[in-house]
């Protein structure tokens, strides 16, 4: 199988370049990650992140043939050759396919991704009705792989100011949680031309999400909450 | 001055709503205008003038133009926010755009109420 891989080692290379590889796959190499691991056997200078290899940890997010996705959940048979592998767009490259995710996590932390409730916790747990719990479906499953935010032009332009689809999905996850008491503060935190309203609903995030989530829908619901609060 | 990243202007919702509402106004006006064209096939210049000399239609056109200008203000400012990074440059561009739109509003009044 033919590959064209983005290579960049800032300690040695003056500029990034694409390197071609040809890898002989075994019958058990079903997913792209298997192929990349095979590729690393051939050239151990290639750097990439991986961990769980089953689409749960979000480590091996990369740009595959021009589209963000997880290498471990992308089937080799679905890829056209040469398979072009690049790091996630819009984030600083540390080396080869590894990007610096600090900015992404900074935005995630800025929305306070944890339950805020000042009342004393009950003996067992804070309960929700099944209907209230249902609203959290499609929100809590996010694995923070950054495929969505790094596919978003608004995030490319303003990564320091726009929260990005992943962060906003998480923001709505807590806005939608009936156990959370900081709804108004959370909305105040997002009521900003940059933080929330840089989203122009182009839906690249929905298109690439490897978990099939819909950040655009969540962003729409945040806007709806703001309208309900304001009018 | 400290060079810290500052966000949290606490506006955004109202502009976002304006953009949606003005878009609806534009759609409505476009349909009305289309209706006028369909209802009066083969309009000549004097008939066209007569349509715009009608005061309710004048007002409707003016509301439409205000919607266009407000819509354009938000859209153009969004573009400046994305592409003009130095604050001084962005502020200058925004002031110029705002002045232009105020000028266009005056111009629109001049044109519309110039039709007798």
């Amino acid at each position: 199988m033919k590959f064209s891989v983005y290579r960049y080692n800032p300690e040695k290379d003056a500029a990034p370049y694409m390197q071609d590889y040809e890898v002989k796959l075994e019958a058990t190499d079903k997913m792209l990650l298997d192929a990349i691991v095979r590729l690393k056997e051939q050239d151990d200078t290639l750097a990439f992140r991986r961990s769980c290899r089953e689409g749960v940890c979000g480590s091996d997010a990369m740009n595959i043939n021009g589209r963000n996705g997880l290498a471990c959940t992308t089937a080799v048979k679905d890829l056209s050759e040469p398979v072009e592998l690049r790091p996630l767009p819009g984030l600083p490259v540390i080396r080869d396919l590894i990007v610096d995710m600090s900015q992404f996590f900074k935005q995630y932390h800025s929305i306070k991704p944890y339950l805020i409730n000042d009342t004393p916790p009950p003996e067992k747990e804070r309960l929700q009705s099944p209907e209230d719990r249902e609203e959290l479906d499609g929100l809590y499953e996010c694995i923070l792989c950054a495929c969505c935010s790094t596919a978003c032009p608004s995030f490319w332009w303003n990564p320091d100011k726009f929260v990005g689809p992943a962060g906003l999905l998480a923001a709505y996850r807590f806005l939608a949680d009936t156990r959370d008491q900081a709804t108004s503060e959370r909305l105040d935190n997002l009521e900003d031309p940059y933080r929330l309203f840089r989203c122009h609903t182009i839906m690249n995030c929905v298109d690439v999400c490897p978990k099939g989530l819909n950040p655009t829908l969540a962003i729409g619901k945040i806007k709806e909450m703001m309208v309900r609060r304001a009018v | 001055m400290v060079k810290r990243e500052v966000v949290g202007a606490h506006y955004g919702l109202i502009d976002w709503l304006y953009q949606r509402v003005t878009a609806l106004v534009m759609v409505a006006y476009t349909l009305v205008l289309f209706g006028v064209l369909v209802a009066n096939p083969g309009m000549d210049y004097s008939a066209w003038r007569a349509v715009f000399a009608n005061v309710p239609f004048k007002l409707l056109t003016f509301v439409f133009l205000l919607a266009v200008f407000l819509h354009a203000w938000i859209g153009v400012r969004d573009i400046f926010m994305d592409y003009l990074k130095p604050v001084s440059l962005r502020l200058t561009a925004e002031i110029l755009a705002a002045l232009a739109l105020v000028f266009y509003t005056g111009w629109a009044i001049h044109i519309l109420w110039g039709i007798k």
Side-chain angles (χ1 to χ4, degrees):
Chain A
M1 189 167 203
K2 286 196 177 69
F3 288 88
S4 173
V5 185
Y6 178 101
R7 301 299 310 270
Y8 181 53
N9 179 350
E11 285 169 17
K12 290 199 320 213
D13 307 325
Y17 59 97
M18 298 302 288
Q19 187 171 351
D20 293 333
Y21 292 97
E22 182 135 18
V23 188
K24 198 173 165 342
L25 298 185
E26 302 292 325
T28 51
D29 297 338
K30 299 287 185 207
M31 294 297 173
L32 174 61
L33 183 63
D34 302 324
I36 299 174
V37 170
R38 196 71 66 191
L39 207 157
K40 194 170 166 78
E41 278 171 20
Q42 215 176 86
D43 178 358
D44 64 3
T45 65
L46 177 69
F48 62 96
R49 288 196 182 108
R50 36 86 71 211
S51 183
C52 76
R53 59 104 186 94
E54 55 186 12
V56 174
C57 73
S59 303
D60 62 352
M62 56 184 72
N63 189 275
I64 306 154
N65 280 343
R67 196 185 147 89
N68 291 352
L70 300 178
C72 56
T73 57
T74 304
V76 166
K77 66 172 170 47
D78 297 335
L79 294 169
S80 62
E81 294 184 53
V83 181
E84 205 173 286
L85 300 179
R86 291 172 183 272
L88 289 175
L91 292 178
V93 175
I94 295 174
R95 187 176 155 172
D96 298 340
L97 300 175
I98 298 178
V99 289
D100 179 358
M101 309 254 289
S102 315
Q103 193 68 64
F104 173 78
F105 283 116
K106 213 171 146 185
Q107 290 298 359
Y108 175 64
H109 291 308
S110 80
I111 60 101
K112 301 193 177 165
Y114 40 82
L115 200 75
I116 300 175
N117 189 329
D118 292 333
T119 58
E123 207 144 302
K124 268 185 138 177
E125 59 198 316
R126 298 187 198 276
L127 294 174
Q128 276 192 300
S129 71
E131 297 79 48
D132 288 341
R133 168 61 190 76
E134 228 168 68
E135 185 64 18
L136 306 183
D137 287 341
L139 303 171
Y140 76 90
E141 298 94 329
C142 172
I143 56 172
L144 296 173
C145 63
C147 279
C148 60
S149 290
T150 59
C152 173
S154 289
F155 190 74
W156 296 338
W157 283 193
N158 296 290
D160 50 346
K161 293 176 179 167
F162 176 51
V163 176
L168 290 170
L169 184 89
Y172 183 65
R173 183 250 169 274
F174 289 97
L175 280 166
D177 196 318
T178 49
R179 297 164 296 183
D180 190 271
Q181 293 181 328
T183 314
S184 203
E185 291 89 324
R186 290 182 189 281
L187 289 177
D188 283 344
N189 178 273
L190 295 172
E191 163 70 316
D192 177 88
Y194 284 103
R195 286 179 59 73
L196 172 69
F197 289 96
R198 281 295 92 184
C199 168
H200 300 305
T201 36
I202 65 162
M203 298 177 82
N204 273 14
C205 51
V206 184
D207 187 41
V208 297
C209 178
K211 305 299 282 186
L213 308 180
N214 191 333
T216 308
L217 183 67
I219 292 167
K221 286 181 175 177
I222 297 175
K223 286 174 179 166
E224 190 209 305
M225 281 180 99
M226 281 187 180
V227 173
R228 263 197 287 144
R229 184 174 74 151
V231 299
Chain B
M1 204 179 79
V2 284
K3 288 282 180 195
R4 293 191 61 191
E5 203 52 71
V6 278
V7 283
H10 292 296
Y11 75 94
L13 175 70
I14 199 72
D15 286 7
W16 178 78
L17 264 181
Y18 277 151
Q19 210 165 26
R20 260 104 209 118
V21 173
T22 51
L24 288 177
V25 170
M26 287 188 269
V27 168
Y29 181 81
T30 308
L31 291 176
V32 169
L33 194 64
F34 190 69
V36 168
L37 288 174
V38 170
N40 305 289
M43 262 204 292
D44 60 2
Y45 177 66
S46 58
W48 185 247
R49 265 189 86 99
V51 169
F52 281 90
N54 181 301
V55 175
F57 198 79
K58 249 193 237 285
L59 281 171
L60 201 62
T61 308
F62 187 60
V63 169
F64 161 74
L65 287 172
L66 283 183
V68 172
F69 298 151
L70 190 56
H71 196 90
W73 162 243
I74 296 160
V76 164
R77 197 191 52 203
D78 270 356
I79 296 169
F80 291 158
M81 279 172 145
D82 280 344
Y83 294 98
L84 300 181
K85 291 298 177 186
V87 175
S88 54
L89 190 62
R90 192 160 68 234
L91 184 61
T92 311
E94 285 182 11
I95 290 171
L96 289 177
L99 286 176
L101 291 168
V102 170
F103 172 73
Y104 293 156
T105 308
W107 200 8
I109 294 173
H110 178 75
I111 293 170
L112 283 171
W113 273 270
I115 301 169
K116 292 279 177 332

